[in-house]
Amino acid sequence: HVFGTIFLHSPGDRCPRFRNRRPNWTSAMSKIRPRPNSNPPKESGRPTHFVGIRIAAPTALNEIRAAVRQCSPGISGYMEEACKAHVTLGVLRLDTDECVQRCVADFRRAARKLRREKRALFPGGVLRASFDGFGMFGSRVLFLKPSEASISQLREMRACLLEEVDMRQEFHEFNPHLTIAKRTRWVSKRRATDSPVVTRMPDDASVFDDVRVQVEACVTSVELLKMRGDQEEDGYYKIEASEPLSEP
């Protein structure tokens, strides 16, 4: 004989075991219709290239770097290499080789226009860029500020280049600068162990008030550069195209 218990329920009543359980319609529908990616990866919009001028003043910059480390030892892990010293005039995102080639053509056309219309900014094909103080973007970037005369020249150069090269407008106002130290997530992971002390950026640039800043560089070309990946032999950014400021 088989003995058991039979539970009877009305048609509208659920089995006690499943009475408080609701069907997961969201899970079921997600298998039929995938939800759109509402949070695209941050990497998707990062610039890949930039237009800039190289600041070749290694002796002066290394002296400033040493003084900065002495004033704020914790900044050492965030220091930029002197061989990469530059001023960015604008950034771009070039995803393919075809995009790079088109941009190179635009860049060369812009350089010709720059030489033709703004030659007064760089007599004899030489732009004298000078820097006379420190500045900071929040507590993230420590930089050297160009002199007022250099700022005016660089803004004119950028405005002329923008007429031919579709560079991004990252900020409301273009603030040319030469980066000395920069705190980013990537830099933190890569350089945190480079310094024997805790890596830390100062809260403001007043820490460096006693550091004498007097940097001047003779700039003879403007360049289209690749931000990451391949580099030149001396450690500088890969040069996609370079145009002299003087007539070739």
Side-chain angles (χ1 to χ4, degrees), residues 95-234:
D95 292 310
T96 64
D97 291 340
E98 289 76 16
C99 289
V100 173
Q101 292 171 7
R102 285 196 299 270
C103 186
V104 167
D106 292 342
F107 170 75
R108 296 198 187 283
R109 185 168 58 253
R112 290 194 295 269
K113 183 173 184 177
L114 183 66
R115 289 191 295 263
R116 185 174 63 250
E117 298 183 2
K118 300 293 181 180
R119 66 181 64 182
L121 297 177
F122 30 86
V126 178
L127 173 71
R128 300 189 180 279
S130 59
F131 303 82
D132 55 13
F134 286 101
M136 290 192 74
F137 295 135
S139 60
R140 189 175 59 86
V141 178
L142 173 70
F143 59 87
L144 295 184
K145 296 188 298 184
S147 65
E148 289 299 324
S150 290
I151 289 176
S152 177
Q153 291 171 320
L154 293 169
R155 285 178 175 166
E156 279 197 58
M157 287 181 64
R158 172 184 161 85
C160 183
L161 292 168
L162 274 173
E163 294 178 11
E164 300 291 340
V165 182
D166 187 19
M167 297 184 289
R168 293 186 182 184
Q169 180 66 42
E170 295 285 302
F171 307 100
H172 294 297
E173 183 180 8
F174 170 58
N175 290 306
H177 61 280
L178 192 163
T179 300
I180 294 295
K182 178 169 58 177
R183 177 174 61 83
T184 66
R185 186 177 304 171
W186 178 80
V187 171
S188 299
K189 290 179 179 178
R190 187 172 76 91
R191 299 183 186 167
T193 58
D194 292 351
S195 174
V197 295
V198 177
T199 303
R200 181 179 181 276
M201 289 285 282
D203 295 326
D204 59 72
S206 63
V207 177
F208 310 107
D209 284 348
D210 294 333
V211 178
R212 182 168 175 266
V213 177
Q214 188 173 0
V215 178
E216 183 170 313
C218 294
V219 179
T220 58
S221 63
V222 60
E223 297 160 334
L224 174 64
L225 302 146
K226 186 177 180 181
M227 286 187 174
R228 290 170 289 276
D230 299 336
Q231 298 178 341
E232 298 297 319
E233 290 184 0
D234 61 358

